[in-house]
Amino acid sequence: MSARWEAPPSFDVFIQQRHRALLRFALVLSGDPLLAEDLVQDALEHVGMRWWLIRRRDDPEGYIRRTITNRFLNNRRARRREDIVDEVPDQASVDPVPRDEALWRQLAGLPRHQRAVLVLRFFEDMTEAQVAEVLGCSVGAVKTSGSRGLAKLRAVYSQEVPK
């Protein structure tokens, strides 16, 4: 008989309270609802086994967001998950976020690091120092990536706006 791991109650509570926000974060970061679900699931699997240690930190959610971001940037997942079903559900499992399709296309066209910086800075409303901590880089690298990403978005939008 094999041992079965069960999540501690504090991890269950955390997931119940923050799962939707983590999915929304991963969706904005990746632009793909299925990839967002995979990123969150992979991060929670990774964190769940270490929850007893991670919850002692000042910011366990920050640790999970960093895990999601790193997995997005590296784009290496141990396995791809697929759910085989007889019928396609009427509705996606991730709540659709109202969005500007042109902006999403432009955001998706940015290099991954620039996109991650912009999502963390402006969607998650993090400071440059917080973004640097999540991405494991310097504040200068965050400023450079953010500036370049914004410049690319501005260039596209300045061309599209009628004068």
Side-chain angles (χ1 to χ4, degrees):
M1 182 153 79
S2 65
R4 181 175 176 207
W5 179 82
E6 290 193 29
S10 62
F11 187 62
D12 284 341
V13 169
F14 175 84
I15 291 173
Q16 289 170 6
Q17 293 174 347
R18 302 305 303 154
H19 190 259
R20 182 174 290 251
L22 292 171
L23 274 175
R24 188 174 50 245
F25 167 70
L27 176 60
V28 173
L29 186 64
S30 69
D32 177 348
L34 297 177
L35 178 58
E37 288 179 355
D38 281 349
L39 290 169
V40 171
Q41 181 64 36
D42 288 348
L44 291 175
E45 283 179 19
H46 173 78
V47 168
M49 299 301 283
R50 298 163 187 80
W51 185 248
W52 61 274
L53 178 64
I54 293 167
R55 73 182 175 128
R56 294 181 190 164
R57 295 178 178 208
D58 289 339
D59 186 17
E61 185 168 346
Y63 184 89
I64 294 171
R65 287 180 190 277
R66 181 175 185 165
T67 303
I68 290 169
T69 303
N70 288 342
R71 288 173 189 256
F72 168 72
L73 291 173
N74 294 335
N75 201 23
R76 293 183 193 137
R77 293 186 308 276
R79 58 191 155 107
R80 180 164 174 84
R81 290 183 182 80
E82 293 185 30
D83 292 328
I84 308 297
V85 295
D86 290 337
E87 295 181 29
V88 177
D90 291 338
Q91 187 175 10
S93 59
V94 175
D95 290 341
V97 176
R99 62 187 192 176
D100 176 347
E101 291 298 326
L103 176 61
W104 275 67
R105 279 192 305 277
Q106 298 310 315
L107 192 58
L110 292 176
R112 288 177 175 265
H113 196 265
Q114 289 176 9
R115 180 180 179 148
V117 167
L118 294 180
V119 168
L120 291 168
R121 277 288 285 135
F122 300 107
F123 184 78
E124 290 297 316
D125 199 28
M126 292 182 173
T127 65
E128 290 167 339
Q130 290 170 321
V131 173
E133 185 178 329
V134 167
L135 296 178
C137 65
S138 70
V139 172
V142 169
K143 288 179 179 183
T144 300
S145 291
S147 176
R148 289 179 180 164
L150 285 174
K152 288 178 183 178
L153 292 178
R154 282 186 191 116
V156 170
Y157 274 98
S158 67
Q159 292 172 359
E160 291 181 3
V161 176
K163 295 183 181 182

